[in-house]
Amino acid sequence: MKSMKKILISLLCLFLVLPWLAPFTAASNHQNETEIEAEDAGETAGKDEVVYATLSPSGAGKELYIVNSLEVTEAGEIADYGAYSNVKNLTDLSEISQSGDVVEMSASVGKFYYQGTLDHTNLPWDFKMTYYLDGEEVTPEELAGKDGTLEIEIDTTENEAIDPIFYENYLLQISFAFDGEKTSNIETDEGILANAGKDIQVTYTVLPEEEAVLSVTADVTDFELAGIDISAIPQNMSIDAPDTDEFTAEIGTLADALQSIDDGVLELKGGATELHEGTTALQSGSTEYKEGIQALNNGSGELVSGSKAIQDALATIDQSLGDTDGIDGGDFNMMTEGLEEFASALREIKNGLVELKDGFGAAYEALDEAITAIPGHEVSEEEIIALKQSNANQDTVDKLLEVYTAALTVKGTYEQVRDGFSAVTSTLETMITSLETIVGSIQELIAGFNEFLEKMDPTSGLKELQEGISTLSANYQAFHSGLVTYTEGVGELAAGYTEIDAGIGELNNGTGELASGVSELRDGTAELAEATQDMPEQVTEEIDEMLAQYDKSDFEAVSFVSDKNEEVNSVQFVLKTEPIEKAEETDEAEEESEKKSLWERFLDLFR
């Protein structure tokens, strides 16, 4: 018992004396520092920095410190730089001194580690973690221990307050694990899922100079999350350019094909221009023909009226000759003059019909050649749909289809009235022949009548004259009927041809739009062919530029804490969010123990 009391008294004395020994210990350390200062300055061959940060579950920074690893090649006093709020030696028990941003320490050859804590939490990236449960945004604290459909969204953006060299050259890897026994139906578009024991690991990669929005959904029960791990390292791997010869060869073939298309469109442009010129001439001829046929139709009434007057005159003469009383020589002379005027009128009609036949024949020949030259190709509905779904200029395609439809309409209408056109010429020839026959008959009648008057007594030959006039009147009546039928046909032809002429006008307008559209198409294909002429070289350059964007092999590390630090070998970032976990009940005994003083806890060891 007495031994125990002595031990207690000795320990108590030691406990009370220790504070008084501290100044002497400090003096001894100061003496050691003085000796170190007297030593030669040490040398280093570079340093590594590992940046550790603790983030809240929502991504806000909470703590930021750096673990520095110095490669000491010659023992002695060495210096490093960093605006730390405090520093800690992680290598041995020697002290580290700090003055402003200068950190000094005494180190032996080899690795020397020390930790520096920063008074800010700024990183090259800003992180934001958002949590949704059953579609409603919730805080991490509210989420712990809950069930439902969970969505985690992670946003990464550049922090412009930090040197952009890290954002531009560092690769981010973000990962966290779900409890496989409490999680199901995990889905993510941007990440990779992997089994890690009973857990399911979710991993994302964010390339340098990229901002990302990452998300994952899962059905969870009694949810907890150990935290989200984020690491950042330089993407300093080099990327070899792939062999693009085969690819560029195919592109060269494409460029050649585009040039061929341009050549074909150029020929199409010439053909479209010629087609438009042809339809313009066709429209001009058609307009003249329409005006001529309308003029003929307009004069048909007068022609029929004149012919009817001639017919009535012949009938009157025939009737007058039947009544021979009161006829004298003067009447015969008047009859002869009337027949002469009649013959002259018939000649004028015949000459007019000859001119009409010749003009109509020329116009009809030009019209027939122009319309016959219009291709009759049929384009199927499938071909039209394929053409509309192609890469061709759709305005030009629509114009082509309009021209195609108008051309087929004109061609079809013409085929329906073509027989009528052909019949006009033959009818005109028949009428001209009939008029020539009638005029010849009248001339013979006049000659015979004059001879009769000279040699014979006029009254004795009246019967023969009457028979001749009667025959002439009967023949002319048939001619007049044919003339009426002809003029009716001319009227129908004039009415029908108006539609044909309108169709030809639409065709000409369509070919004009086609020529204009093909001209624009040619401009486009020419520009495309010119732009793609050097496409293989351009593609190769683009590939090189794209690869150069991701090739960070020439990156040289710089210090995260101070630009005064030289010979920096590497800088890495290790970040972690705090866990989302349910609150645990505190043991009352532990709480009571935490409230006891140091002396009470010391005495408890012997109770």
Side-chain angles (χ1 to χ4, degrees), residues 42-46 70-76 78 107-112:
E43 293 184 0
T44 61
L70 303 174
E71 183 66 37
V72 181
T73 57
E74 186 173 340
I78 57 176
S108 58
V109 175
K111 292 283 188 181
F112 186 88

Side-chain angles (χ1 to χ4, degrees), residues 239 242 539-551:
I239 302 176
V539 169
T540 301
E541 291 176 1
E542 289 290 336
I543 292 175
D544 292 341
E545 290 179 5
M546 182 179 64
L547 294 178
Q549 181 181 356
Y550 294 100
D551 187 354

Side-chain angles (χ1 to χ4, degrees), residues 240-432:
D240 295 330
D243 184 6
T244 59
D245 291 343
E246 182 177 354
F247 178 61
T248 52
E250 293 178 356
I251 294 178
T253 302
L254 173 62
D256 294 340
L258 292 175
Q259 183 61 53
S260 299
I261 291 174
D262 180 55
D263 295 339
V265 172
L266 179 59
E267 294 181 3
L268 175 62
K269 177 183 177 183
T273 301
E274 292 180 3
L275 174 62
H276 179 57
E277 292 173 352
T279 56
T280 300
L282 172 62
Q283 183 183 21
S284 178
S286 175
T287 300
E288 293 179 2
Y289 176 77
K290 182 187 74 172
E291 293 173 352
I293 201 70
Q294 287 178 345
L296 178 62
N297 182 50
N298 294 335
S300 294
E302 296 179 0
L303 180 63
V304 172
S305 297
S307 178
K308 183 67 168 60
I310 293 173
Q311 182 183 17
D312 293 343
L314 288 175
T316 300
I317 294 172
D318 182 38
Q319 183 179 0
S320 298
L321 290 176
D323 184 8
T324 58
D325 294 338
I327 296 178
D328 57 16
D331 293 333
F332 287 112
N333 291 332
M334 292 177 60
M335 186 182 300
T336 303
E337 291 175 359
L339 290 174
E340 289 286 356
E341 292 177 0
F342 177 50
S344 178
L346 291 179
R347 288 192 195 95
E348 291 180 1
I349 294 174
K350 185 202 75 171
N351 293 334
L353 291 178
V354 170
E355 291 180 1
L356 175 62
K357 181 180 76 69
D358 294 340
F360 176 82
Y364 173 64
E365 183 178 358
L367 180 66
D368 185 70
E369 290 179 356
I371 296 181
T372 303
I374 298 175
H377 305 305
E378 292 187 3
V379 181
S380 66
E381 187 69 22
E382 291 78 9
E383 291 173 327
I384 293 176
I385 294 174
L387 188 60
K388 283 183 171 293
Q389 294 176 347
S390 68
N391 293 327
N393 185 289
Q394 291 304 306
D395 290 339
T396 302
V397 170
D398 292 339
K399 292 175 181 177
L400 284 170
L401 292 176
E402 290 178 5
V403 172
Y404 166 74
T405 303
L408 289 186
T409 301
V410 170
K411 196 174 182 67
T413 304
Y414 177 73
E415 290 295 333
Q416 294 176 1
V417 299
R418 188 172 189 174
D419 293 340
F421 284 141
S422 301
V424 170
T425 302
S426 60
T427 301
L428 287 174
E429 290 176 349
T430 301
M431 291 180 64
I432 291 170

Side-chain angles (χ1 to χ4, degrees), residues 72-107:
V72 181
T73 57
E74 186 173 340
E77 192 73 13
I78 57 176
D80 198 37
Y81 301 91
Y84 302 114
S85 58
N86 63 74
V87 293
K88 182 189 298 184
N89 189 340
L90 301 178
T91 304
D92 53 36
L93 298 178
S94 63
E95 290 192 1
I96 300 176
S97 63
Q98 182 180 11
S99 176
D101 64 346
V102 181
V103 181
E104 293 181 322
M105 64 215 77
S106 179

Side-chain angles (χ1 to χ4, degrees), residues 309-600:
I310 293 173
Q311 182 183 17
D312 293 343
L314 288 175
T316 300
I317 294 172
D318 182 38
Q319 183 179 0
S320 298
L321 290 176
D323 184 8
T324 58
D325 294 338
I327 296 178
D328 57 16
D331 293 333
F332 287 112
N333 291 332
M334 292 177 60
M335 186 182 300
T336 303
E337 291 175 359
L339 290 174
E340 289 286 356
E341 292 177 0
F342 177 50
S344 178
L346 291 179
R347 288 192 195 95
E348 291 180 1
I349 294 174
K350 185 202 75 171
N351 293 334
L353 291 178
V354 170
E355 291 180 1
L356 175 62
K357 181 180 76 69
D358 294 340
F360 176 82
Y364 173 64
E365 183 178 358
L367 180 66
D368 185 70
E369 290 179 356
I371 296 181
T372 303
I374 298 175
H377 305 305
E378 292 187 3
V379 181
S380 66
E381 187 69 22
E382 291 78 9
E383 291 173 327
I384 293 176
I385 294 174
L387 188 60
K388 283 183 171 293
Q389 294 176 347
S390 68
N391 293 327
N393 185 289
Q394 291 304 306
D395 290 339
T396 302
V397 170
D398 292 339
K399 292 175 181 177
L400 284 170
L401 292 176
E402 290 178 5
V403 172
Y404 166 74
T405 303
L408 289 186
T409 301
V410 170
K411 196 174 182 67
T413 304
Y414 177 73
E415 290 295 333
Q416 294 176 1
V417 299
R418 188 172 189 174
D419 293 340
F421 284 141
S422 301
V424 170
T425 302
S426 60
T427 301
L428 287 174
E429 290 176 349
T430 301
M431 291 180 64
I432 291 170
T433 302
S434 298
L435 283 174
E436 289 176 346
T437 301
I438 293 173
V439 170
S441 299
I442 292 174
Q443 290 295 335
E444 291 178 0
L445 177 62
I446 292 172
F449 188 65
N450 288 333
E451 183 179 355
F452 169 76
L453 291 176
E454 291 175 357
K455 296 180 178 181
M456 299 182 63
D457 183 3
T459 57
S460 63
L462 287 177
K463 186 176 182 180
E464 294 181 4
L465 176 60
Q466 182 184 11
E467 292 175 356
I469 292 298
S470 179
T471 301
L472 176 61
S473 178
N475 291 335
Y476 192 83
Q477 186 175 359
F479 168 77
H480 179 72
S481 298
L483 182 63
V484 171
T485 303
Y486 164 73
T487 55
E488 290 175 353
V490 168
E492 294 178 0
L493 177 63
Y497 193 79
T498 300
E499 297 182 4
I500 296 177
D501 184 68
I504 291 175
E506 293 180 2
L507 174 63
N508 185 50
N509 293 335
T511 57
E513 294 180 1
L514 173 62
S516 177
V518 172
S519 179
E520 294 178 4
L521 177 62
R522 171 67 206 323
D523 293 340
T525 56
E527 183 178 353
L528 180 61
E530 183 179 357
T532 56
Q533 186 176 9
D534 300 326
M535 185 182 287
E537 293 79 6
Q538 293 174 357
V539 169
T540 301
E541 291 176 1
E542 289 290 336
I543 292 175
D544 292 341
E545 290 179 5
M546 182 179 64
L547 294 178
Q549 181 181 356
Y550 294 100
D551 187 354
K552 309 293 183 179
S553 58
D554 58 349
F555 169 72
E556 295 183 2
V558 298
S559 173
F560 176 72
V561 290
S562 175
D563 55 8
K564 296 179 181 179
N565 291 324
E566 300 177 352
E567 298 183 1
V568 178
N569 297 326
S570 69
V571 177
Q572 299 181 30
F573 294 82
V574 179
L575 321 174
K576 188 177 182 66
T577 66
E578 293 178 329
I580 299 176
E581 54 190 3
K582 296 180 294 184
E584 296 182 359
E585 297 181 359
T586 305
D587 190 344
E588 294 181 0
E590 290 182 1
E591 291 182 355
E592 183 180 353
S593 175
E594 289 178 358
K595 294 179 181 179
K596 292 182 180 181
S597 66
L598 178 63
W599 176 248
E600 290 175 333

Side-chain angles (χ1 to χ4, degrees), residues 200-220:
I200 300 175
Q201 191 81 12
V202 184
T203 304
Y204 300 97
T205 300
V206 181
L207 295 175
E209 301 183 84
E210 287 191 4
E211 297 183 347
V213 177
L214 315 171
S215 64
V216 62
T217 59
D219 294 332
V220 298

